[in-house]
Each structure stands twice: as structure tokens, then as C-alpha cells.
Coordinates of all heavy atoms in Angstrom, one line a residue:
M184 N 127.1 -24.5 145.8 CA 128.0 -24.3 144.7 C 127.3 -23.5 143.6 O 126.2 -23.9 143.2 CB 128.5 -25.6 144.2 CG 129.7 -25.5 143.2 SD 130.3 -27.2 142.8 CE 130.3 -27.1 141.0
E185 N 127.9 -22.5 143.0 CA 127.3 -21.7 142.0 C 127.1 -22.5 140.7 O 128.0 -23.3 140.3 CB 128.2 -20.5 141.7 CG 127.4 -19.3 141.1 CD 128.4 -18.2 140.7 OE1 129.3 -18.0 141.5 OE2 128.1 -17.5 139.8
H186 N 126.0 -22.3 140.0 CA 125.7 -23.0 138.8 C 126.5 -22.4 137.7 O 126.4 -21.3 137.3 CB 124.2 -23.0 138.5 CG 123.9 -23.8 137.2 ND1 123.5 -25.0 137.3 CD2 123.9 -23.4 136.0 CE1 123.2 -25.4 136.1 NE2 123.5 -24.4 135.2
Q187 N 127.4 -23.3 137.0 CA 128.1 -22.8 135.9 C 128.0 -23.8 134.8 O 128.4 -25.0 134.9 CB 129.6 -22.7 136.2 CG 129.9 -21.5 137.2 CD 131.3 -21.1 137.1 OE1 132.2 -21.9 136.9 NE2 131.5 -19.7 137.2
C188 N 127.3 -23.4 133.7 CA 127.0 -24.4 132.6 C 128.2 -25.0 132.1 O 128.1 -26.2 131.7 CB 126.3 -23.6 131.5 SG 124.6 -23.0 132.0
D189 N 129.3 -24.3 132.0 CA 130.5 -24.9 131.5 C 131.0 -26.1 132.4 O 131.4 -27.1 131.9 CB 131.7 -23.9 131.4 CG 131.6 -23.2 130.1 OD1 130.7 -23.4 129.4 OD2 132.5 -22.3 129.9
E190 N 130.9 -25.9 133.7 CA 131.3 -26.9 134.7 C 130.4 -28.1 134.6 O 130.8 -29.2 134.7 CB 131.3 -26.3 136.1 CG 132.4 -25.3 136.3 CD 133.8 -25.9 136.0 OE1 134.1 -27.0 136.5 OE2 134.6 -25.2 135.4
I191 N 129.1 -27.8 134.5 CA 128.1 -28.8 134.3 C 128.3 -29.7 133.1 O 128.2 -30.9 133.2 CB 126.6 -28.2 134.3 CG1 126.3 -27.3 135.5 CG2 125.6 -29.3 134.2 CD1 126.2 -28.1 136.8
F192 N 128.7 -29.0 132.1 CA 129.0 -29.7 130.8 C 130.1 -30.7 131.0 O 130.0 -31.8 130.5 CB 129.3 -28.8 129.7 CG 129.4 -29.4 128.4 CD1 128.3 -29.9 127.7 CD2 130.6 -29.7 127.8 CE1 128.3 -30.5 126.5 CE2 130.7 -30.4 126.5 CZ 129.6 -30.8 125.9
K193 N 131.1 -30.3 131.7 CA 132.2 -31.2 132.0 C 131.7 -32.5 132.7 O 132.1 -33.6 132.5 CB 133.3 -30.6 132.8 CG 134.1 -29.6 132.0 CD 135.2 -29.0 132.9 CE 135.7 -27.7 132.2 NZ 136.4 -26.8 133.2
K194 N 130.8 -32.2 133.6 CA 130.2 -33.4 134.4 C 129.3 -34.2 133.5 O 129.3 -35.5 133.7 CB 129.4 -32.8 135.6 CG 130.2 -32.1 136.6 CD 131.0 -33.1 137.5 CE 131.8 -32.3 138.6 NZ 132.6 -33.3 139.3
I195 N 128.6 -33.7 132.6 CA 127.8 -34.4 131.7 C 128.7 -35.4 130.9 O 128.3 -36.5 130.8 CB 127.1 -33.4 130.7 CG1 126.0 -32.6 131.5 CG2 126.4 -34.2 129.6 CD1 125.4 -31.5 130.7
V196 N 129.8 -34.9 130.5 CA 130.7 -35.8 129.7 C 131.2 -36.9 130.6 O 131.2 -38.1 130.1 CB 131.9 -34.9 129.2 CG1 133.0 -35.9 128.6 CG2 131.5 -33.9 128.2
L197 N 131.5 -36.7 131.8 CA 131.9 -37.7 132.8 C 130.7 -38.7 133.0 O 130.9 -39.9 133.1 CB 132.4 -37.1 134.1 CG 133.7 -36.4 134.0 CD1 134.0 -35.7 135.4 CD2 134.8 -37.2 133.6
L198 N 129.5 -38.2 133.2 CA 128.4 -39.0 133.3 C 128.2 -39.9 132.2 O 128.0 -41.2 132.4 CB 127.1 -38.1 133.5 CG 125.8 -38.9 133.6 CD1 125.6 -39.6 134.9 CD2 124.6 -37.9 133.3
L199 N 128.3 -39.4 131.0 CA 128.1 -40.3 129.8 C 129.2 -41.3 129.7 O 129.1 -42.3 129.0 CB 128.0 -39.4 128.5 CG 126.7 -38.6 128.5 CD1 126.8 -37.6 127.4 CD2 125.5 -39.5 128.4
D200 N 130.4 -41.0 130.3 CA 131.5 -42.0 130.3 C 131.4 -42.9 131.5 O 132.3 -43.7 131.6 CB 132.8 -41.3 130.3 CG 133.2 -40.6 128.9 OD1 132.6 -41.1 127.9 OD2 134.0 -39.7 128.9
N201 N 130.3 -42.7 132.2 CA 130.1 -43.6 133.4 C 131.2 -43.4 134.5 O 131.7 -44.3 135.1 CB 130.1 -45.0 133.0 CG 128.6 -45.5 133.0 OD1 127.8 -45.0 133.9 ND2 128.3 -46.4 132.1
E202 N 131.6 -42.1 134.7 CA 132.7 -41.9 135.6 C 132.2 -41.1 136.8 O 133.1 -40.5 137.5 CB 133.8 -41.2 134.8 CG 134.6 -42.1 134.0 CD 135.8 -41.5 133.2 OE1 136.3 -40.5 133.7 OE2 136.1 -42.1 132.2
L203 N 131.0 -41.0 137.0 CA 130.5 -40.3 138.2 C 130.0 -41.3 139.2 O 129.4 -42.3 138.9 CB 129.3 -39.4 137.8 CG 129.6 -38.2 136.9 CD1 128.5 -37.3 136.8 CD2 130.8 -37.4 137.5
N204 N 130.2 -41.0 140.5 CA 129.6 -41.8 141.5 C 128.1 -41.4 141.8 O 127.7 -40.4 141.2 CB 130.4 -41.8 142.8 CG 130.4 -40.4 143.4 OD1 129.4 -39.6 143.3 ND2 131.5 -40.0 144.0
Q205 N 127.4 -42.2 142.6 CA 126.0 -42.0 142.7 C 125.7 -40.6 143.2 O 124.7 -39.9 142.8 CB 125.4 -43.1 143.6 CG 123.9 -43.2 143.6 CD 123.3 -43.4 142.2 OE1 123.7 -44.3 141.5 NE2 122.3 -42.6 141.8
E206 N 126.5 -40.1 144.1 CA 126.2 -38.8 144.8 C 126.3 -37.8 143.7 O 125.4 -36.8 143.6 CB 127.2 -38.6 145.9 CG 126.9 -37.5 146.8 CD 128.0 -37.2 147.8 OE1 128.6 -38.3 148.2 OE2 128.2 -36.1 148.1
E207 N 127.3 -37.8 142.9 CA 127.5 -36.9 141.8 C 126.3 -36.9 140.8 O 125.9 -35.9 140.2 CB 128.9 -37.1 141.1 CG 130.0 -36.7 142.0 CD 131.4 -37.1 141.3 OE1 131.5 -38.2 140.9 OE2 132.3 -36.2 141.3
K208 N 126.0 -38.2 140.5 CA 124.8 -38.3 139.6 C 123.6 -37.7 140.0 O 122.9 -37.0 139.3 CB 124.5 -39.9 139.3 CG 125.5 -40.5 138.4 CD 125.1 -42.0 138.3 CE 126.2 -42.8 137.5 NZ 125.9 -44.2 137.6
D209 N 123.3 -37.8 141.3 CA 122.1 -37.2 141.9 C 122.2 -35.7 141.8 O 121.2 -35.0 141.4 CB 121.9 -37.7 143.4 CG 121.5 -39.2 143.4 OD1 121.1 -39.7 142.4 OD2 121.6 -39.7 144.6
W210 N 123.4 -35.2 142.2 CA 123.6 -33.8 142.2 C 123.4 -33.2 140.7 O 122.7 -32.2 140.5 CB 125.0 -33.5 142.7 CG 125.4 -32.1 142.4 CD1 125.1 -30.9 143.1 CD2 126.2 -31.6 141.3 NE1 125.7 -29.8 142.6 CE2 126.4 -30.2 141.5 CE3 126.8 -32.2 140.2 CZ2 127.1 -29.5 140.6 CZ3 127.5 -31.4 139.3 CH2 127.7 -30.1 139.5
L211 N 124.0 -34.0 139.7 CA 124.0 -33.5 138.4 C 122.5 -33.5 137.8 O 122.1 -32.6 137.1 CB 124.9 -34.4 137.5 CG 124.9 -34.0 136.0 CD1 125.5 -32.6 135.9 CD2 125.9 -35.0 135.2
R212 N 121.8 -34.5 138.2 CA 120.4 -34.6 137.7 C 119.6 -33.4 138.2 O 118.9 -32.8 137.4 CB 119.8 -35.9 138.3 CG 118.5 -36.3 137.5 CD 117.8 -37.4 138.3 NE 117.6 -37.0 139.8 CZ 117.5 -37.9 140.7 NH1 117.7 -39.1 140.6 NH2 117.4 -37.4 142.0
D213 N 119.8 -33.0 139.5 CA 119.1 -31.8 140.0 C 119.5 -30.6 139.2 O 118.7 -29.7 138.9 CB 119.5 -31.6 141.5 CG 118.8 -32.6 142.3 OD1 117.8 -33.3 141.8 OD2 119.1 -32.8 143.5
E214 N 120.8 -30.5 138.8 CA 121.3 -29.3 138.1 C 120.7 -29.3 136.7 O 120.3 -28.2 136.2 CB 122.8 -29.3 137.9 CG 123.6 -29.2 139.2 CD 123.4 -27.8 139.9 OE1 123.4 -26.8 139.2 OE2 123.3 -27.8 141.1
L215 N 120.5 -30.4 136.1 CA 120.0 -30.5 134.8 C 118.5 -30.1 134.8 O 118.0 -29.4 133.9 CB 120.1 -31.9 134.2 CG 121.6 -32.3 133.9 CD1 121.5 -33.7 133.2 CD2 122.2 -31.4 132.9
I216 N 117.8 -30.5 135.8 CA 116.4 -30.2 135.9 C 116.3 -28.7 136.2 O 115.3 -28.0 135.6 CB 115.8 -31.0 137.2 CG1 115.6 -32.4 136.8 CG2 114.4 -30.4 137.4 CD1 115.3 -33.3 138.0
A217 N 117.2 -28.1 136.9 CA 117.1 -26.7 137.2 C 117.5 -25.7 136.0 O 117.1 -24.6 136.0 CB 118.0 -26.4 138.4
C218 N 118.3 -26.2 135.0 CA 118.8 -25.4 134.0 C 118.5 -25.9 132.6 O 119.1 -27.0 132.2 CB 120.3 -25.2 134.2 SG 121.0 -24.2 132.9
P219 N 117.6 -25.3 131.9 CA 117.2 -25.8 130.6 C 118.4 -25.9 129.6 O 118.5 -26.8 128.8 CB 116.1 -24.8 130.1 CG 115.6 -24.2 131.2 CD 116.8 -24.2 132.3
A220 N 119.3 -25.0 129.7 CA 120.5 -24.9 128.8 C 121.3 -26.2 129.1 O 121.8 -26.8 128.1 CB 121.3 -23.6 129.1
C221 N 121.5 -26.5 130.3 CA 122.3 -27.7 130.6 C 121.6 -29.0 130.2 O 122.3 -29.9 129.7 CB 122.6 -27.8 132.1 SG 123.9 -26.6 132.6
L222 N 120.3 -29.0 130.4 CA 119.5 -30.2 129.9 C 119.7 -30.3 128.5 O 119.9 -31.5 127.9 CB 118.1 -30.0 130.3 CG 117.2 -31.2 130.1 CD1 117.7 -32.4 130.9 CD2 115.8 -30.9 130.4
E223 N 119.7 -29.2 127.7 CA 119.9 -29.3 126.2 C 121.3 -29.8 125.9 O 121.5 -30.6 125.0 CB 119.6 -27.9 125.7 CG 119.3 -28.0 124.2 CD 118.9 -26.6 123.7 OE1 118.2 -25.9 124.3 OE2 119.5 -26.2 122.6
N224 N 122.2 -29.3 126.6 CA 123.6 -29.8 126.4 C 123.7 -31.3 126.6 O 124.4 -31.9 125.9 CB 124.6 -29.0 127.4 CG 124.8 -27.6 127.0 OD1 124.4 -27.2 125.9 ND2 125.4 -26.8 127.9
Y225 N 123.1 -31.7 127.7 CA 123.1 -33.1 128.0 C 122.5 -34.0 126.8 O 123.1 -34.9 126.4 CB 122.3 -33.4 129.3 CG 122.0 -34.8 129.5 CD1 123.0 -35.7 129.9 CD2 120.7 -35.4 129.4 CE1 122.8 -37.0 130.2 CE2 120.5 -36.7 129.6 CZ 121.5 -37.5 130.0 OH 121.2 -38.9 130.1
E226 N 121.3 -33.5 126.4 CA 120.7 -34.2 125.3 C 121.6 -34.2 124.0 O 121.8 -35.2 123.3 CB 119.4 -33.5 124.9 CG 118.3 -33.5 125.9 CD 117.6 -34.8 126.2 OE1 117.8 -35.7 125.3 OE2 117.0 -35.0 127.2
M227 N 122.2 -33.1 123.8 CA 123.1 -33.0 122.6 C 124.3 -33.9 122.7 O 124.7 -34.6 121.8 CB 123.5 -31.5 122.5 CG 124.1 -31.2 121.1 SD 123.9 -29.5 120.7 CE 125.0 -28.8 122.0
E228 N 124.9 -33.9 123.9 CA 126.1 -34.7 124.1 C 125.8 -36.2 124.1 O 126.5 -37.0 123.5 CB 126.7 -34.3 125.5 CG 128.0 -35.0 125.8 CD 129.2 -34.7 124.9 OE1 129.1 -33.7 124.2 OE2 130.2 -35.4 125.0
K229 N 124.6 -36.5 124.6 CA 124.2 -37.9 124.6 C 124.0 -38.3 123.1 O 124.5 -39.4 122.7 CB 122.9 -38.0 125.4 CG 122.5 -39.5 125.6 CD 121.4 -39.6 126.8 CE 120.1 -39.0 126.4 NZ 119.3 -39.9 125.5
D230 N 123.3 -37.5 122.3 CA 123.1 -37.8 120.9 C 124.4 -38.0 120.3 O 124.6 -38.9 119.4 CB 122.2 -36.8 120.2 CG 120.8 -36.9 120.7 OD1 120.4 -37.8 121.3 OD2 120.0 -36.0 120.4
F231 N 125.3 -37.0 120.5 CA 126.6 -37.0 119.9 C 127.4 -38.3 120.2 O 127.9 -38.9 119.3 CB 127.3 -35.8 120.4 CG 128.8 -35.7 120.0 CD1 129.2 -35.6 118.6 CD2 129.8 -35.9 120.9 CE1 130.5 -35.6 118.3 CE2 131.1 -36.0 120.6 CZ 131.5 -35.7 119.2
K232 N 127.3 -38.7 121.4 CA 128.0 -39.9 121.8 C 127.5 -41.1 121.2 O 128.2 -42.0 120.7 CB 128.0 -40.0 123.3 CG 129.2 -40.8 123.9 CD 129.4 -40.6 125.3 CE 130.4 -41.5 125.9 NZ 131.7 -41.2 125.3
E233 N 126.2 -41.2 121.1 CA 125.5 -42.3 120.5 C 125.9 -42.4 119.0 O 126.2 -43.4 118.5 CB 124.0 -42.2 120.6 CG 123.5 -42.7 122.0 CD 122.1 -42.3 122.3 OE1 121.4 -41.8 121.4 OE2 121.7 -42.6 123.4
M234 N 125.9 -41.2 118.4 CA 126.2 -41.1 116.9 C 127.7 -41.6 116.8 O 128.0 -42.4 115.8 CB 126.1 -39.7 116.5 CG 126.4 -39.5 115.1 SD 126.5 -37.7 114.8 CE 128.1 -37.3 115.3
L235 N 128.5 -41.1 117.6 CA 129.9 -41.5 117.5 C 130.2 -43.0 117.7 O 130.9 -43.6 117.0 CB 130.7 -40.7 118.7 CG 132.2 -40.5 118.5 CD1 132.4 -39.4 117.4 CD2 132.8 -40.1 119.8
C236 N 129.4 -43.6 118.7 CA 129.6 -45.0 118.9 C 129.1 -45.7 117.6 O 129.7 -46.8 117.2 CB 128.7 -45.4 120.1 SG 129.4 -44.9 121.6
E237 N 128.0 -45.3 117.0 CA 127.6 -46.0 115.8 C 128.6 -45.9 114.7 O 128.8 -46.8 114.0 CB 126.2 -45.4 115.4 CG 125.0 -46.1 116.0 CD 123.7 -45.5 115.6 OE1 123.6 -45.0 114.5 OE2 122.8 -45.5 116.5
K238 N 129.1 -44.7 114.6 CA 130.1 -44.5 113.6 C 131.3 -45.4 113.8 O 131.8 -46.0 112.9 CB 130.6 -43.0 113.8 CG 131.0 -42.4 112.5 CD 131.2 -40.9 112.6 CE 131.4 -40.3 111.3 NZ 131.3 -38.9 111.3
L239 N 131.8 -45.5 115.0 CA 132.9 -46.4 115.3 C 132.6 -47.8 115.0 O 133.5 -48.6 114.7 CB 133.4 -46.2 116.7 CG 134.0 -44.8 117.1 CD1 134.3 -44.6 118.5 CD2 135.3 -44.6 116.3
K240 N 131.4 -48.2 115.3 CA 130.9 -49.5 115.0 C 131.1 -49.9 113.6 O 131.5 -51.0 113.2 CB 129.5 -49.7 115.5 CG 129.4 -50.6 116.8 CD 128.0 -50.9 117.2 CE 127.3 -49.8 118.0 NZ 125.9 -50.0 118.2
C241 N 130.6 -49.0 112.7 CA 130.5 -49.4 111.3 C 131.8 -49.0 110.5 O 132.0 -49.5 109.5 CB 129.3 -48.8 110.6 SG 129.1 -47.0 110.8
M242 N 132.6 -48.1 111.1 CA 133.9 -47.7 110.4 C 135.0 -48.0 111.4 O 135.3 -47.3 112.3 CB 133.8 -46.3 110.1 CG 133.0 -45.9 108.9 SD 133.3 -44.2 108.5 CE 132.0 -43.4 109.3
E243 N 135.8 -49.0 111.1 CA 136.9 -49.3 111.9 C 138.0 -48.3 111.9 O 138.6 -48.0 112.9 CB 137.4 -50.7 111.6 CG 136.5 -51.8 112.2 CD 137.1 -53.2 112.1 OE1 137.9 -53.4 111.1 OE2 136.9 -54.0 112.9
S244 N 138.2 -47.8 110.7 CA 139.3 -46.8 110.6 C 138.7 -45.4 110.4 O 138.8 -44.8 109.4 CB 140.2 -47.1 109.4 OG 139.4 -47.2 108.2
C245 N 138.0 -45.0 111.5 CA 137.4 -43.7 111.5 C 138.4 -42.6 111.7 O 139.2 -42.7 112.5 CB 136.3 -43.6 112.6 SG 135.5 -42.0 112.7
E246 N 138.4 -41.6 110.8 CA 139.4 -40.6 110.8 C 138.9 -39.4 111.7 O 139.6 -38.4 111.9 CB 139.8 -40.1 109.5 CG 140.6 -41.1 108.7 CD 140.9 -40.6 107.3 OE1 140.9 -39.4 107.0 OE2 141.0 -41.6 106.4
C247 N 137.7 -39.5 112.2 CA 137.2 -38.4 113.0 C 138.0 -38.3 114.4 O 138.3 -39.3 114.9 CB 135.7 -38.6 113.3 SG 134.8 -38.5 111.9
N248 N 138.2 -37.1 114.7 CA 138.9 -36.9 116.0 C 137.9 -36.5 117.0 O 137.3 -35.4 116.9 CB 140.0 -35.8 115.8 CG 140.7 -35.5 117.1 OD1 140.1 -35.4 118.2 ND2 142.0 -35.3 117.0
E249 N 137.7 -37.3 118.0 CA 136.6 -37.0 119.0 C 136.8 -35.7 119.7 O 135.8 -34.9 119.9 CB 136.6 -38.1 120.0 CG 135.4 -38.0 121.0 CD 135.3 -39.2 122.0 OE1 136.1 -40.2 121.8 OE2 134.4 -39.1 122.8
E250 N 138.1 -35.4 120.0 CA 138.3 -34.2 120.7 C 138.0 -32.9 119.9 O 137.5 -31.9 120.4 CB 139.7 -34.1 121.2 CG 140.1 -35.0 122.4 CD 139.1 -34.8 123.5 OE1 138.9 -33.7 123.9 OE2 138.6 -35.8 124.0
Q251 N 138.3 -33.0 118.6 CA 138.0 -31.9 117.7 C 136.5 -31.7 117.6 O 136.1 -30.6 117.6 CB 138.6 -32.2 116.3 CG 140.0 -31.8 116.2 CD 140.7 -32.2 114.8 OE1 139.9 -32.7 114.0 NE2 141.9 -32.0 114.7
L252 N 135.8 -32.8 117.4 CA 134.3 -32.7 117.3 C 133.8 -32.1 118.6 O 132.9 -31.2 118.5 CB 133.8 -34.1 117.1 CG 133.9 -34.6 115.7 CD1 133.4 -36.1 115.6 CD2 133.1 -33.8 114.7
K253 N 134.3 -32.5 119.7 CA 133.8 -32.0 121.0 C 134.0 -30.5 121.1 O 133.2 -29.8 121.5 CB 134.4 -32.7 122.1 CG 133.6 -33.9 122.5 CD 134.2 -34.5 123.8 CE 133.5 -35.8 124.2 NZ 134.1 -36.5 125.2
S254 N 135.2 -30.1 120.7 CA 135.5 -28.7 120.9 C 134.7 -27.8 119.9 O 134.3 -26.7 120.2 CB 137.0 -28.4 120.6 OG 137.4 -28.7 119.3
K255 N 134.4 -28.4 118.7 CA 133.4 -27.7 117.8 C 132.1 -27.6 118.5 O 131.5 -26.4 118.4 CB 133.2 -28.6 116.5 CG 134.2 -28.2 115.5 CD 133.8 -28.9 114.2 CE 135.0 -29.0 113.2 NZ 134.7 -29.9 112.1
I256 N 131.6 -28.6 119.1 CA 130.3 -28.5 119.7 C 130.3 -27.5 120.8 O 129.4 -26.8 121.0 CB 129.8 -29.9 120.2 CG1 129.5 -30.8 119.0 CG2 128.7 -29.8 121.2 CD1 129.1 -32.2 119.3
L257 N 131.4 -27.6 121.6 CA 131.5 -26.7 122.8 C 131.5 -25.2 122.3 O 130.8 -24.3 122.9 CB 132.8 -27.0 123.5 CG 132.7 -28.0 124.6 CD1 134.1 -28.2 125.2 CD2 131.8 -27.4 125.7
S258 N 132.2 -24.9 121.2 CA 132.3 -23.6 120.7 C 130.9 -23.1 120.2 O 130.5 -22.0 120.4 CB 133.3 -23.4 119.7 OG 133.0 -24.1 118.5
K259 N 130.1 -24.1 119.6 CA 128.8 -23.8 119.2 C 127.9 -23.4 120.4 O 127.1 -22.4 120.3 CB 128.2 -25.0 118.5 CG 128.3 -25.0 117.1 CD 127.4 -26.1 116.5 CE 127.8 -26.3 115.0 NZ 127.1 -27.5 114.4
I260 N 128.0 -24.2 121.4 CA 127.2 -23.9 122.7 C 127.6 -22.5 123.2 O 126.7 -21.7 123.5 CB 127.5 -25.0 123.7 CG1 126.9 -26.3 123.3 CG2 126.9 -24.5 125.1 CD1 127.4 -27.5 124.1
R261 N 128.9 -22.2 123.2 CA 129.4 -20.9 123.8 C 128.8 -19.8 122.9 O 128.3 -18.7 123.4 CB 130.9 -20.9 123.8 CG 131.4 -21.9 124.8 CD 132.5 -21.4 125.6 NE 133.0 -22.4 126.6 CZ 133.9 -23.3 126.4 NH1 134.5 -23.4 125.3 NH2 134.1 -24.2 127.4
N262 N 128.9 -19.9 121.6 CA 128.4 -18.9 120.7 C 126.9 -18.6 121.0 O 126.5 -17.5 120.9 CB 128.6 -19.2 119.3 CG 130.1 -19.2 118.9 OD1 130.9 -18.4 119.6 ND2 130.5 -19.9 117.9
R263 N 126.2 -19.7 121.2 CA 124.7 -19.5 121.3 C 124.4 -18.8 122.6 O 123.4 -18.1 122.7 CB 124.1 -20.9 121.4 CG 122.6 -20.9 121.1 CD 122.1 -22.3 121.3 NE 122.4 -22.8 122.6 CZ 122.3 -24.0 123.0 NH1 121.9 -25.0 122.1 NH2 122.7 -24.5 124.2
E264 N 125.2 -19.0 123.6 CA 124.9 -18.4 124.9 C 125.3 -16.9 124.9 O 124.8 -16.2 125.8 CB 125.7 -19.1 126.0 CG 125.1 -20.4 126.4 CD 126.0 -21.2 127.4 OE1 127.1 -20.8 127.5 OE2 125.5 -22.2 127.8
K265 N 126.0 -16.4 124.0 CA 126.4 -15.0 123.9 C 125.2 -14.1 123.6 O 124.3 -14.5 122.9 CB 127.5 -14.7 122.9 CG 128.9 -14.8 123.6 CD 130.0 -14.9 122.5 CE 131.2 -15.5 123.0 NZ 132.2 -15.9 122.0
Ligands
ZN270 ZN1 123.3 -24.5 133.2

């Protein structure tokens, strides 16, 4: 399968949501090792998710829209790659 950073990023999101099976996890780990850009995306998404969880913990009525934040981050990643 051809390496596509956008596709990998979708898998990263699933990984962090614990929605990948072991086989997919192993495959994704190899892809991350092979591609510094994807590894960076993984670190960023992981930090983002941790930050979000903390935010939700301390603010019950958080007005942040997770999807909006994600699309912002995604567009940042895409702009950087150009
Ligand atoms: Zn990549």
C-alpha cells in the first residue's frame, strides 16, 4: 500500500481512540517509523488529545468544538506540507 500521510493521519486518530486492532497497530507503527512527518502528526495529535481531555475534565461546559479544532490542525499540517 502506498504511503499517504493523510490516510495515515486518519489511522492515527483511530489509534488514539483505541479503535485499531493489533494488526493495524503494528502496521501503523511501521509507517510512523518510516515517515518523520507522520510521526510528528502523531505526536501533535496525541498532545492535542491529551490537552482536550484535560480541558474537558476541568470544564464541564466546554464550548470548544472538537471537529473544528481538528480541521484547523489538519489545515495547518496541509499548509506546512506545501
Ligand atoms: Zn507520512
